[in-house]
Amino acid sequence: MTSAGIGAVFDRAATHYVEVSPLLWNPIGEATVAAAAIAAGERVLDVCCGAGASAIPAARAAGPHGHVDAIDLAAGLLSHGRRRATAEGLRNVRFVRADATTWQDRPYDVVQCVHGVFFLPDMDTAVSRLAELLRPGGRLVITAWAQGAMESFGRLFTEAVAHVRQAPVAPPASRQAASTIDTEEDLRSWLTARGPTRVTVTRFPLRIPLDAARAWQVVLGSGFRGMLSGLEDAAVDQVRAAFGRLLRERGMTELDATSLIGAGTRP
């Protein structure tokens, strides 16, 4: 899927993305900012910022003398982020519709990306370039899914989509990229190869109680929504019914959303 296509998927997901954020995206964003150890007065670039789950706490940490550039391709999510910043009285964060692979501003004290690097075309090259936007001594912070996280959920949803489409459904390309950095050692090695040194990886366990309604909310508020592209409303309803049935039959009552947070320093 192209960058524009990914942006369109998350534009359609915006309302549900925000609804599921208190349970899913916000806790992970807060944990990422804690691992980044953002200090007052620092400049931060938040890549694939969504509705501000990590950009907003970063702005709080940076304080009035710091600044956060929060960039994403989904205009709908950016609008939610702006409203949230306004509601909190944060004037040190700007939400910009921009492509991370061509962003030019520099230097930053922190570049962070929460569950977004695997949507970038050529993840390795894109993140190596982002690392170059850091000042010497700046930190690159990347959050990825831990091995096994979201996998059972994704398999059942893929099975439901395949049942309705009556054809095999390939997992999203982002899943393959994500699987290359889903262990502590793999994420540490991958980040080190991008240039940073003194890389540490923190595991952030997160398990969310799940019923059919919440599971569907997660689908509509995440990248899984892209697998519904091209389906008529009636077919989407069939996928929802099939997914709910599979959840009951397989006894899935919890979503594993455990994340790995890697942080390294530019020499």
Side-chain angles (χ1 to χ4, degrees):
M1 186 180 292
T2 65
S3 295
I6 292 168
V9 167
F10 280 95
D11 260 335
R12 293 192 295 272
T15 298
H16 293 94
Y17 185 103
V18 171
E19 289 173 354
V20 80
S21 287
L23 289 171
L24 180 59
W25 305 121
N26 290 355
I28 299 171
E30 295 274 2
T32 299
V33 170
I38 295 169
E42 290 196 311
R43 295 188 76 239
V44 180
L45 176 63
D46 190 298
V47 178
C48 304
C49 68
S54 50
I56 294 295
R60 293 194 209 110
H65 299 294
H67 179 75
V68 178
D69 285 323
I71 64 174
D72 202 292
L73 289 171
L77 290 176
L78 292 167
S79 294
H80 282 288
R82 292 187 193 104
R83 286 194 289 272
R84 185 177 172 190
T86 298
E88 294 198 24
L90 294 170
R91 299 181 179 180
N92 62 338
V93 54
R94 63 170 178 158
F95 288 86
V96 183
R97 189 174 187 275
D99 189 332
T101 64
T102 59
W103 186 258
Q104 294 293 336
D105 202 357
R106 69 178 70 197
Y108 290 98
D109 299 290
V110 176
V111 173
Q112 62 185 22
C113 184
V114 180
H115 294 311
V117 293
F118 27 78
F119 292 112
L120 298 173
D122 191 350
M123 179 175 76
D124 294 0
T125 300
V127 175
S128 294
R129 181 188 170 281
L130 289 172
E132 294 173 357
L133 301 181
L134 288 164
R135 64 165 175 80
R139 287 97 68 205
L140 178 65
V141 184
I142 303 295
T143 301
W145 297 116
Q147 190 173 70
M150 308 296 280
E151 287 184 9
S152 297
F153 183 94
R155 280 196 299 270
L156 290 194
F157 180 61
T158 301
E159 186 175 338
V161 174
H163 172 75
V164 172
R165 290 188 184 273
Q166 297 186 327
V169 176
S174 59
R175 179 63 249 175
Q176 182 177 354
S179 69
T180 65
I181 53 172
D182 63 2
T183 68
E184 283 90 340
E185 184 54 41
D186 285 343
L187 180 55
R188 186 180 296 108
S189 297
W190 179 79
L191 269 175
T192 300
R194 310 281 74 76
T197 60
R198 304 199 302 272
V199 175
T200 62
V201 178
T202 303
R203 178 175 287 262
F204 178 66
L206 181 61
R207 293 184 175 272
I208 300 169
L210 205 62
D211 59 18
R214 182 168 289 165
W216 191 245
Q217 189 179 45
V218 171
V219 165
L220 296 183
S222 70
F224 286 116
R225 189 187 186 109
M227 296 174 68
L228 300 173
S229 296
L231 291 177
E232 300 290 338
D233 289 347
V236 171
D237 289 341
Q238 291 173 7
V239 172
R240 179 175 185 173
F243 186 39
R245 184 177 64 254
L246 288 170
L247 289 169
R248 291 190 300 272
E249 290 175 353
R250 310 291 169 81
M252 183 178 293
T253 59
E254 190 176 64
L255 175 65
D256 179 3
T258 300
S259 297
L260 301 177
I261 307 169
T265 302
R266 181 178 183 181

